[in-house]
Amino acid sequence: MSSQSEKRERTFTCLLSHPDKYLIKHLQNVAKLVEDTFPINDETLKKFAVYVAQFHDVGKATQFFQHYIRGEKIFSQEKNHSLLSAIILFYFLRYNMDENPLLSFLSYVAVKNHHSFPEDVFEDEGVLTDIDLLKKQLDSLEASIFSEMKVKIDPNSLKINLENVIKDFKPFRSLSRFKKKFGEVKDYFLYIAFLSICSALLFADRKDAVDVPEIKYSDISYLHFKSLIDSIPAKYSIDKLRQKAKDAVLSKVFDPSKRVYSINLPTGLGKTYTGFLYALKMREILKKQIGKNFRIIYALPFVSIIDQNFEIIKEKLQQITDSCDSSLIIKHHHLSEPEYRKDGESLPFDIGKVLTEGWESEIVVTTMVQLFNAIFPKNRSQALRFSRLHNTIVILDEIQTIPLKYWEIFSQIVENLAEVLDFYVLFMTATKPVIFPNCVELAGKEFFKGLNRYKIDVDMEKKTIDEFLSTFKFEEDKTYLFILNTIKSSQEFYKKLKEKVNGEIEYISASITPFERKQRLAKIKEGKVKYLVSTQVVEAGVDIDFDVVVRDFAPFDALNQSAGRCNRNGEKSGAFKIIRLVDEKGKFYWSYIYDSILSSCTYETLECVNNLTEEQFINLTEKYFKLVKDRAVDNVKELALFSEALKYLRFSGKNGKRFIKDMNLIENDYGIEVFVQINENAVNVWNKMIDIVKKLKSGERSSFKDYMRLKPKFYEFVIRVNVDEKSLRFFSEELAFHYIPFRYKDIYYGKTGLKEPNLIW
């Protein structure tokens, strides 16, 4: 007995999953993590998820992988483990356990792709061509791993039955075969089940691989946070209305049986604090009633607003908590540094990256894009966050930024997911698009009545920039904001305005670096700017205030956001002017970037009006969204196509059909990225990035953490512009990136960014 035990122990210590980790321990740890955190209250699915975790790396028990992990020999395909692990799992589920064939196949797909991501599941994943490789790997497999796992699997038996196992894949070799065997899929069960299993595995696997320590969440008192916000002194007359709106929302009863809530308030009425407070209230009630901790995910449309709102909330939390570590609040977007602080110190990079990307915090401030991609993932890192929606309260700020064609599919899947993954949605908007028609409204129309911060003047006549400026009357005691639709039109407008007026004039758009944008916004907030020319970058969430706002024509919700930059605090008499500018060809600038349905509905909403009060203007929202709903007939087709993609796990492919990869929140990611060496700091960042990338290309993988830490600083000096790539003279082969050298900065780059002749529009 003792001899057998010692033999098993020696076998156990021989097999590694990672350079410093025993394979059997890794499989056991990941299985336990999945069992403890599986997001769906379904014992059958949970059982399959645990099997997936238990077997996901069993293919590492080959001699090929064991030599590789020790650096003794380098094999190519033979050391790969995902397919072998998946085959062993499928064989176990079907031949040992006689489990459900469809769920067994989906478990196989989850393991096979846990280092990649599936494409078209029921078209591609049932096709198997690596039979000789699998037989070779099975011959090399250390069978003792199965006794350690306490499962009865004979590699020789599997090898003999491999042809039969492959035949079991026959119904999964094409969608037509799948439908013939299993029928039409009627709902999103397979989608939710598959992603829940994949996501739980991915997060647990990454956590154990880097030995993530236990994270304990802090408690946040709703009443303490509320009293802190209530104590903020009133500075403006409108602060009384903000307080009234907040009190009205917080007085509304939260019913845990209802999943979707809305706060519909005019711009400038304090939705950030009000929404966050109501989420804290929901969280506290859920803890008392069902005994579960619900985390808060706060999703915003733009990175710049994330940084702003993150600091606002964090600063308040620091006043009511002993510690404001990352377990309490983190921010996550594509440019955020994956730093995670615990007990006042930064955790090692690999651990911080896993925890940040896995949204392991009480409060996660992130982008709408990150949330959208967690629900509709296109790759492994996005899919990891799918299960992290479990037991959360999701705040969607400025929900109208979701493209029209996704409204129906987004509401369908979110409402479905909210029930299954047990989360709640609280969306905030000034316009309330008809995305969740059955939501519970917490604010209401009363706060739109009597608003009179600005008068609206609607001028639908076509005008060039010259024609507009030649008739526009400026007043000495007013400040002005001009919002244009394209970078090229904004640059032209700035140039001509500068010739016409005196006083401090500034410019903001995506054609200037984020570094400069921050500096100029700070200057604007200090009241040092009389005239600002901008694109849509100032529309949502940017806290600036002007007496007169002029907006080139745009969809109604964009107009509403722009109006929110006018006389924000109601201290003066504001003016909001809507105009329609055309370029030298007579083409409307709005047509380059906006959806034609939304734009035509806006035109019909406004074409018969000239002068409006703020209240009258906001009341047109209902008419606008009714027109949108009636016109969006193409959305029915889009809904059917995307619904099909979700139901049949069509993540990507090349056969011309709609795939989940085609569902992108930012539809037109126009332009080319260009790094601008605007100062010595930018030059240093550029040179450091070149050094890091060279090290990465030479195989120095440890430099990846340096790359990730430098990336946010690097993008402080990156612009994205719509140009003919041939017009960009400088290109770095090392970084595969266009750039403007410091010595040529004044030739190609100026106050308004990349100089106008290079732009397409």
Side-chain angles (χ1 to χ4, degrees):
M1 190 77 177
S2 174
S3 174
Q4 289 177 349
S5 176
E6 288 173 8
K7 184 177 179 181
R8 283 199 300 272
E9 183 63 20
R10 283 196 296 273
T11 302
F12 163 77
T13 58
C14 284
L15 298 176
L16 301 177
S17 62
H18 301 80
D20 57 351
K21 194 175 292 290
Y22 295 130
L23 175 58
I24 187 62
K25 278 296 183 186
H26 178 60
L27 295 175
Q28 290 170 344
N29 291 346
V30 174
K32 182 68 167 62
L33 282 169
V34 168
E35 185 176 22
D36 292 344
T37 61
F38 190 67
I40 300 179
N41 185 23
D42 184 311
E43 289 304 315
T44 299
L45 288 181
K46 184 176 182 178
K47 176 180 68 175
F48 276 91
V50 173
Y51 280 139
V52 163
Q54 188 180 3
F55 280 81
H56 78 284
D57 272 355
V58 72
K60 289 182 175 181
T62 65
Q63 290 298 310
F64 300 117
F65 183 85
Q66 291 304 310
H67 281 302
Y68 164 75
I69 200 67
R70 290 168 169 80
E72 296 168 6
K73 295 181 182 178
I74 298 296
F75 297 91
S76 54
Q77 289 182 316
E78 291 93 339
K79 69 174 172 50
N80 296 343
H81 67 279
S82 296
L83 176 60
L84 178 61
S85 301
I87 285 288
I88 294 170
L89 170 62
F90 185 81
Y91 175 76
F92 172 77
L93 292 174
R94 295 293 294 128
Y95 287 74
N96 284 32
M97 306 301 292
D98 194 26
E99 291 286 3
N100 177 289
L102 178 52
L103 290 178
S104 296
F105 177 72
L106 292 181
S107 299
Y108 159 84
V109 176
V111 171
K112 177 176 177 281
N113 293 280
H114 78 278
H115 286 295
S116 55
F117 200 62
E119 294 185 0
D120 197 345
V121 169
F122 299 120
E123 289 284 1
D124 302 330
E125 297 295 342
V127 179
L128 198 60
T129 58
D130 300 325
I131 299 169
D132 291 338
L133 173 63
L134 284 169
K135 288 180 178 179
K136 190 175 181 181
Q137 289 177 316
L138 285 168
D139 284 337
S140 173
L141 196 68
E142 173 57 69
S144 61
I145 186 64
F146 299 120
S147 61
E148 294 293 338
M149 293 170 64
K150 297 181 173 59
V151 295
K152 293 182 179 180
I153 295 178
D154 178 8
N156 290 325
S157 176
L158 170 54
K159 183 180 174 183
I160 293 168
N161 283 286
L162 192 57
E163 297 295 336
N164 291 329
V165 173
I166 293 168
K167 285 179 183 177
D168 287 348
F169 286 170
K170 191 174 180 180
F172 307 109
R173 289 177 189 161
S174 72
L175 190 55
S176 59
R177 288 183 177 186
F178 172 82
K179 290 181 178 180
K180 185 177 179 180
K181 173 75 174 177
F182 298 99
E184 297 282 339
V185 176
K186 303 296 184 185
D187 54 30
Y188 299 117
F189 170 78
L190 288 183
Y191 181 76
I192 296 172
F194 178 70
L195 281 178
S196 295
I197 291 170
C198 286
S199 182
L201 169 65
L202 291 170
F203 193 41
D205 188 22
R206 288 187 66 188
K207 286 179 78 173
D208 187 66
V210 297
D211 294 318
V212 169
E214 182 183 2
I215 302 298
K216 293 181 179 179
Y217 293 141
S218 305
D219 189 34
I220 311 167
S221 168
Y222 159 66
L223 290 176
H224 285 170
F225 199 91
K226 182 178 180 300
S227 71
L228 188 65
I229 302 306
D230 288 343
S231 68
I232 297 174
K235 291 173 63 178
Y236 307 103
S237 56
I238 200 171
D239 286 334
K240 293 180 180 178
L241 187 58
R242 288 172 180 148
Q243 181 68 36
K244 183 180 177 183
K246 175 167 63 67
D247 291 343
V249 168
L250 297 177
S251 70
K252 297 295 172 62
V253 174
F254 166 55
D255 178 0
S257 69
K258 303 289 174 57
R259 292 285 173 175
V260 183
Y261 292 78
S262 164
I263 297 177
N264 183 209
L265 286 171
T267 56
L269 251 65
K271 289 190 292 291
T272 299
Y273 282 144
T274 300
F276 185 71
L277 275 168
Y278 198 82
L280 287 179
K281 175 182 175 177
M282 294 167 74
R283 183 176 175 275
E284 202 159 276
I285 291 171
L286 288 166
K287 179 69 179 293
K288 287 178 182 177
Q289 291 191 5
I290 62 178
K292 291 182 181 178
N293 284 318
F294 278 68
R295 295 158 35 247
I296 295 173
I297 298 174
Y298 190 173
L300 298 119
F302 308 116
V303 170
S304 58
I305 311 175
I306 286 180
D307 294 338
Q308 171 185 293
N309 285 20
F310 173 80
E311 293 301 333
I312 288 172
I313 295 171
K314 185 177 179 180
E315 187 266 329
K316 296 302 177 188
L317 289 171
Q318 286 172 331
Q319 296 180 43
I320 62 169
T321 58
D322 295 330
S323 171
C324 204
D325 282 350
S326 300
S327 61
L328 183 62
I329 184 169
I330 58 170
K331 64 177 173 181
H332 174 249
H333 52 75
H334 73 294
L335 295 179
S336 57
E337 184 178 338
E339 182 186 33
Y340 199 96
R341 297 184 67 80
K342 183 176 185 286
D343 300 327
E345 295 183 358
S346 293
L347 293 178
F349 174 83
D350 290 343
I351 294 174
K353 189 171 186 292
V354 169
L355 291 173
T356 302
E357 293 181 354
W359 291 350
E360 191 72 272
S361 183
E362 280 287 293
I363 304 160
V364 180
V365 185
T366 188
T367 60
M368 204 80 81
V369 169
Q370 294 289 346
L371 179 71
F372 191 84
N373 287 340
I375 296 170
F376 307 109
K378 291 87 179 165
N379 58 47
R380 188 164 52 107
S381 64
Q382 294 171 0
L384 179 149
R385 288 184 281 277
F386 183 86
S387 65
R388 305 300 294 148
L389 295 169
H390 175 56
N391 286 166
T392 60
I393 297 159
V394 180
I395 302 174
L396 300 174
D397 202 345
E398 309 296 356
I399 195 174
Q400 73 280 353
T401 56
I402 296 174
L404 172 64
K405 68 178 180 178
Y406 298 135
W407 286 7
E408 189 69 28
I409 191 72
F410 185 77
S411 65
Q412 277 190 19
I413 196 71
V414 167
E415 288 177 346
N416 203 317
L417 276 178
E419 291 289 344
V420 178
L421 295 183
D422 195 14
F423 68 82
Y424 293 85
V425 175
L426 174 62
F427 72 89
M428 305 189 296
T429 174
T431 52
K432 199 173 184 179
V434 194
I435 299 179
F436 294 105
N438 299 318
C439 66
V440 177
E441 178 55 56
L442 299 172
K445 295 182 179 179
E446 63 176 292
F447 295 103
F448 292 88
K449 293 177 181 177
L451 284 175
N452 195 26
R453 290 175 291 181
Y454 48 81
K455 303 291 184 184
I456 296 92
D457 174 47
V458 181
D459 183 359
M460 289 297 190
E461 185 182 343
K462 283 185 180 182
K463 287 185 176 73
T464 64
I465 291 173
D466 282 330
E467 287 170 341
F468 168 74
L469 284 173
S470 67
T471 58
F472 186 77
K473 291 181 172 54
F474 293 92
E475 296 180 44
E476 187 61 35
D477 61 339
K478 302 286 187 185
T479 57
Y480 293 85
L481 167 61
F482 300 92
I483 304 176
L484 287 299
N485 283 324
T486 70
I487 289 173
K488 191 167 186 177
S489 65
S490 68
Q491 289 184 337
E492 181 185 345
F493 195 98
Y494 175 87
K495 181 181 177 182
K496 292 178 176 178
L497 179 66
K498 194 169 177 64
E499 295 170 354
K500 188 176 179 68
V501 299
N502 295 315
E504 189 65 28
I505 179 170
E506 272 297 355
Y507 175 87
I508 291 178
S509 81
S511 73
I512 64 168
T513 65
F515 178 85
E516 293 166 292
R517 286 207 296 270
K518 286 180 183 177
Q519 289 183 325
R520 294 180 191 183
L521 280 171
K523 186 176 173 182
I524 291 162
K525 289 176 182 179
E526 291 170 2
K528 296 178 179 179
V529 175
K530 184 172 177 61
Y531 307 97
L532 173 62
V533 178
S534 178
T535 56
Q536 305 90 328
V537 295
V538 299
E539 261 179 9
V542 179
D543 189 12
I544 58 175
D545 193 3
F546 285 83
D547 300 328
V548 180
V549 176
V550 179
R551 179 63 165 93
D552 192 8
F553 184 81
F556 195 88
D557 51 321
L559 296 177
N560 199 342
Q561 287 295 329
S562 297
R565 310 310 120 199
C566 181
N567 192 25
R568 195 169 176 81
N569 296 309
E571 294 297 293
K572 302 177 183 179
S573 176
F576 179 58
K577 300 179 183 295
I578 302 168
I579 59 175
R580 294 207 303 162
L581 295 175
V582 294
D583 62 16
E584 65 279 1
K585 299 174 185 176
K587 185 175 180 179
F588 287 112
Y589 286 111
W590 67 259
S591 66
Y592 288 99
I593 58 170
Y594 286 123
D595 179 272
S596 59
I597 294 176
L598 298 180
S599 300
S600 63
C601 291
T602 302
Y603 181 81
E604 290 185 36
T605 301
L606 296 174
E607 66 176 333
C608 296
V609 300
N610 297 108
N611 302 106
L612 298 163
T613 64
E614 180 180 1
E615 182 181 355
Q616 290 169 334
F617 178 64
I618 292 172
N619 286 341
L620 290 174
T621 304
E622 204 168 307
K623 177 183 176 182
Y624 166 70
F625 281 119
K626 185 178 185 306
L627 286 170
V628 169
K629 189 176 181 181
D630 293 342
R631 297 285 173 77
V633 290
D634 288 342
N635 284 8
V636 177
K637 298 175 186 176
E638 290 291 311
L639 171 63
L641 292 170
F642 287 128
S643 180
E644 183 93 350
L646 296 174
K647 288 174 181 176
Y648 293 103
L649 308 179
R650 308 188 70 121
F651 291 99
S652 63
K654 300 174 183 177
N655 64 3
K657 295 187 178 181
R658 279 285 193 275
F659 296 98
I660 295 167
K661 75 173 177 63
D662 300 317
M663 300 177 68
N664 295 298
L665 200 59
I666 301 176
E667 290 297 313
N668 300 310
D669 198 7
Y670 292 117
I672 297 171
E673 290 184 327
V674 182
F675 186 96
V676 186
Q677 297 181 358
I678 58 171
N679 54 32
E680 287 184 13
N681 186 22
V683 174
N684 290 334
V685 168
W686 175 263
N687 291 334
K688 283 180 184 176
M689 184 60 83
I690 288 176
D691 289 341
I692 290 169
V693 170
K694 282 180 178 178
K695 290 176 182 177
L696 285 170
K697 287 180 178 179
S698 70
E700 195 176 305
R701 296 180 63 183
S702 61
S703 293
F704 180 68
K705 63 183 178 183
D706 297 323
Y707 169 81
M708 290 298 294
R709 285 171 176 154
L710 188 62
K711 185 180 175 183
K713 297 185 181 74
F714 184 87
Y715 273 87
E716 283 286 296
F717 304 102
V718 172
I719 61 174
R720 180 182 286 275
V721 282
N722 193 36
V723 294
D724 181 350
E725 195 165 3
K726 294 176 183 177
S727 71
L728 296 171
R729 181 177 168 187
F730 303 99
F731 184 78
S732 166
E733 295 293 342
E734 291 95 339
L735 299 183
F737 220 93
H738 293 279
Y739 71 107
I740 297 174
F742 181 72
R743 65 182 180 278
Y744 291 110
K745 175 175 68 76
D746 294 337
I747 298 174
Y748 298 100
Y749 189 82
K751 177 75 174 182
T752 59
L754 196 68
K755 293 198 172 175
E756 180 188 336
N758 296 307
L759 293 172
I760 295 174
W761 46 261

